[in-house]
Amino acid sequence: KHMMTTDGAEQRRYRMATRAPFTPKLIRERLESRVAEIVRSQVQTFASRGSVEVRTAFASRLPVQVMLAVFGLPAEDEPLFRTWFDRFEKALGNYDWDEGTRLQARQDV
């Protein structure tokens, strides 16, 4: 069970437990400048190309890079963290409880 698979009071309990670090005020104070720095860096990597596929070059990478920064991990760990992130995301969305997906998620923990 987790926030995305529960409703009502149980879901509120999960949301309240994780809410504090993600209030707009704390994000502005603690993360906004770092996220802006990551965005500028990412855009610089493809700005001279003329065109890119935005999801691949930017949108799918940004959350992983922000998480690396929040956790104090090196940016070079992006490929490994991306693998974990993708598998975790798949496990969270495993609403039909596919056992293969669940086993893969357990192995990755």
Side-chain angles (χ1 to χ4, degrees):
K1 289 184 175 184
H2 55 78
M3 191 181 322
M4 294 173 56
T5 62
T6 58
D7 290 311
E10 189 172 17
Q11 186 190 52
R12 276 190 298 282
R13 184 175 58 86
Y14 283 119
R15 279 196 341 254
M16 295 306 285
T18 60
R19 186 179 97 166
F22 301 104
T23 62
K25 180 181 184 233
L26 286 177
I27 289 173
R28 266 191 311 277
E29 291 173 356
R30 297 179 184 173
L31 288 176
E32 186 173 43
S33 63
R34 182 63 179 118
V35 171
E37 181 183 315
I38 292 168
V39 167
R40 280 191 296 277
S41 175
Q42 272 304 104
V43 170
Q44 287 176 351
T45 66
F46 60 76
S48 64
R49 290 191 219 163
S51 69
V52 294
E53 200 287 309
V54 174
R55 184 181 190 291
T56 303
F58 179 75
S60 69
R61 294 185 65 202
L62 183 61
V64 170
Q65 291 178 338
V66 169
M67 283 186 274
L68 287 169
V70 167
F71 298 144
L73 298 171
E76 297 78 38
D77 285 350
E78 183 181 350
L80 176 60
F81 200 87
R82 174 91 241 169
T83 299
W84 292 342
F85 180 86
D86 289 344
R87 290 177 180 166
F88 181 68
E89 182 179 48
K90 186 176 180 182
L92 282 177
N94 185 20
Y95 298 115
D96 60 357
W97 299 97
D98 176 71
E99 191 57 33
T101 300
R102 296 177 77 197
L103 286 171
Q104 182 66 58
R106 280 191 212 116
Q107 289 174 346
D108 292 336
V109 172

Coordinates of all heavy atoms in Angstrom, one line a residue, residues 1 84 87-92 94 97-109:
K1 N 0.8 -1.2 0.0 CA 0.0 0.0 0.0 C 0.9 1.2 0.0 O 1.9 1.3 0.7 CB -0.9 0.0 1.2 CG -2.0 -1.0 1.2 CD -2.9 -0.8 2.4 CE -4.0 -1.8 2.4 NZ -4.9 -1.5 3.5
W84 N 16.8 2.9 -11.7 CA 16.0 2.7 -10.5 C 14.7 3.5 -10.5 O 13.6 3.0 -10.2 CB 16.8 3.2 -9.3 CG 18.0 2.4 -8.9 CD1 18.3 1.1 -9.4 CD2 19.1 2.7 -8.1 NE1 19.4 0.7 -8.9 CE2 20.0 1.7 -8.1 CE3 19.3 3.9 -7.4 CZ2 21.1 1.7 -7.4 CZ3 20.5 3.9 -6.7 CH2 21.4 2.8 -6.6
R87 N 12.1 1.8 -12.9 CA 11.6 0.6 -12.3 C 10.6 0.9 -11.1 O 9.6 0.3 -10.9 CB 12.7 -0.3 -11.9 CG 13.4 -0.9 -13.1 CD 14.5 -1.8 -12.7 NE 15.2 -2.3 -13.9 CZ 16.4 -2.9 -13.8 NH1 17.0 -3.0 -12.7 NH2 16.9 -3.4 -14.9
F88 N 11.0 1.9 -10.3 CA 10.2 2.3 -9.2 C 8.9 2.9 -9.7 O 7.8 2.6 -9.2 CB 10.9 3.4 -8.3 CG 10.2 3.9 -7.1 CD1 9.9 3.0 -6.1 CD2 9.7 5.2 -7.1 CE1 9.2 3.5 -5.0 CE2 9.1 5.6 -6.0 CZ 8.8 4.8 -4.9
E89 N 9.0 3.7 -10.7 CA 7.7 4.3 -11.3 C 6.8 3.2 -11.9 O 5.6 3.3 -11.7 CB 8.2 5.3 -12.4 CG 7.0 6.0 -13.1 CD 7.5 6.9 -14.2 OE1 8.3 6.5 -15.0 OE2 7.1 8.1 -14.2
K90 N 7.4 2.2 -12.5 CA 6.6 1.1 -13.1 C 5.9 0.4 -11.9 O 4.8 0.0 -12.0 CB 7.5 0.2 -13.9 CG 6.8 -0.9 -14.6 CD 7.7 -1.7 -15.5 CE 6.9 -2.8 -16.2 NZ 7.8 -3.6 -17.0
A91 N 6.7 0.1 -10.8 CA 6.1 -0.6 -9.7 C 5.0 0.2 -9.1 O 3.9 -0.4 -8.7 CB 7.2 -0.9 -8.7
L92 N 5.1 1.5 -8.9 CA 4.1 2.3 -8.4 C 2.8 2.3 -9.2 O 1.7 2.4 -8.7 CB 4.5 3.8 -8.2 CG 5.4 4.1 -7.0 CD1 5.9 5.6 -7.1 CD2 4.8 3.8 -5.7
N94 N 1.8 -0.2 -10.9 CA 1.4 -1.6 -11.1 C 0.1 -1.9 -10.5 O 0.0 -2.7 -9.6 CB 2.5 -2.5 -10.6 CG 2.3 -4.0 -10.8 OD1 1.5 -4.3 -11.8 ND2 2.9 -4.8 -10.1
W97 N -1.2 -5.4 -10.2 CA -0.4 -6.3 -9.3 C 0.3 -7.4 -10.1 O 0.4 -8.5 -9.6 CB -1.2 -6.9 -8.2 CG -1.8 -5.8 -7.3 CD1 -3.1 -5.3 -7.4 CD2 -1.2 -5.1 -6.3 NE1 -3.2 -4.3 -6.5 CE2 -2.1 -4.1 -5.8 CE3 0.1 -5.1 -5.7 CZ2 -1.8 -3.3 -4.7 CZ3 0.4 -4.3 -4.7 CH2 -0.5 -3.4 -4.2
D98 N 0.9 -7.0 -11.3 CA 1.6 -8.0 -12.0 C 2.8 -8.5 -11.2 O 3.6 -7.7 -10.7 CB 2.1 -7.3 -13.3 CG 3.0 -8.2 -14.1 OD1 2.5 -9.2 -14.7 OD2 4.3 -8.0 -14.1
E99 N 2.9 -9.8 -11.0 CA 3.9 -10.3 -10.1 C 5.3 -10.1 -10.6 O 6.3 -9.9 -9.9 CB 3.7 -11.8 -9.9 CG 4.5 -12.4 -8.8 CD 4.4 -11.7 -7.4 OE1 3.3 -11.3 -7.1 OE2 5.4 -11.7 -6.7
G100 N 5.5 -10.2 -12.0 CA 6.9 -9.9 -12.5 C 7.4 -8.5 -12.2 O 8.5 -8.3 -11.9
T101 N 6.5 -7.5 -12.3 CA 6.8 -6.1 -12.0 C 7.1 -6.0 -10.5 O 8.1 -5.3 -10.1 CB 5.6 -5.2 -12.4 OG1 5.4 -5.3 -13.8 CG2 6.0 -3.8 -12.1
R102 N 6.4 -6.7 -9.7 CA 6.6 -6.6 -8.2 C 7.9 -7.2 -7.9 O 8.7 -6.7 -7.1 CB 5.5 -7.3 -7.5 CG 4.1 -6.6 -7.7 CD 3.0 -7.3 -7.0 NE 3.1 -7.0 -5.6 CZ 2.5 -7.6 -4.6 NH1 1.7 -8.7 -4.9 NH2 2.6 -7.3 -3.4
L103 N 8.3 -8.4 -8.5 CA 9.5 -9.0 -8.2 C 10.7 -8.2 -8.7 O 11.7 -8.1 -7.9 CB 9.6 -10.4 -8.9 CG 8.8 -11.5 -8.3 CD1 8.7 -12.7 -9.2 CD2 9.3 -11.9 -6.9
Q104 N 10.6 -7.6 -9.8 CA 11.7 -6.7 -10.3 C 11.9 -5.5 -9.4 O 13.0 -5.2 -9.0 CB 11.3 -6.1 -11.7 CG 12.4 -5.3 -12.3 CD 13.7 -6.0 -12.6 OE1 13.7 -7.0 -13.3 NE2 14.8 -5.6 -12.0
A105 N 10.8 -4.9 -8.9 CA 10.9 -3.8 -7.9 C 11.6 -4.3 -6.6 O 12.4 -3.5 -6.1 CB 9.5 -3.2 -7.6
R106 N 11.2 -5.4 -6.2 CA 11.9 -5.9 -4.9 C 13.4 -6.2 -5.1 O 14.2 -5.9 -4.2 CB 11.2 -7.2 -4.5 CG 9.9 -7.0 -3.8 CD 9.4 -8.3 -3.1 NE 8.0 -8.2 -3.1 CZ 7.2 -9.1 -3.8 NH1 7.7 -10.0 -4.4 NH2 5.9 -8.9 -3.7
Q107 N 13.8 -6.6 -6.3 CA 15.2 -6.9 -6.6 C 16.0 -5.6 -6.6 O 17.1 -5.6 -6.3 CB 15.3 -7.6 -7.9 CG 14.9 -9.1 -7.8 CD 14.9 -9.8 -9.1 OE1 15.0 -9.1 -10.2 NE2 14.8 -11.1 -9.1
D108 N 15.3 -4.5 -7.0 CA 16.0 -3.2 -7.2 C 16.1 -2.5 -5.9 O 16.9 -1.5 -5.9 CB 15.2 -2.4 -8.2 CG 15.3 -2.9 -9.6 OD1 16.3 -3.7 -9.9 OD2 14.5 -2.6 -10.4
V109 N 15.5 -2.9 -4.9 CA 15.5 -2.1 -3.6 C 16.9 -2.3 -2.9 O 17.5 -3.2 -2.9 CB 14.4 -2.6 -2.7 CG1 14.5 -1.9 -1.3 CG2 13.1 -2.2 -3.3

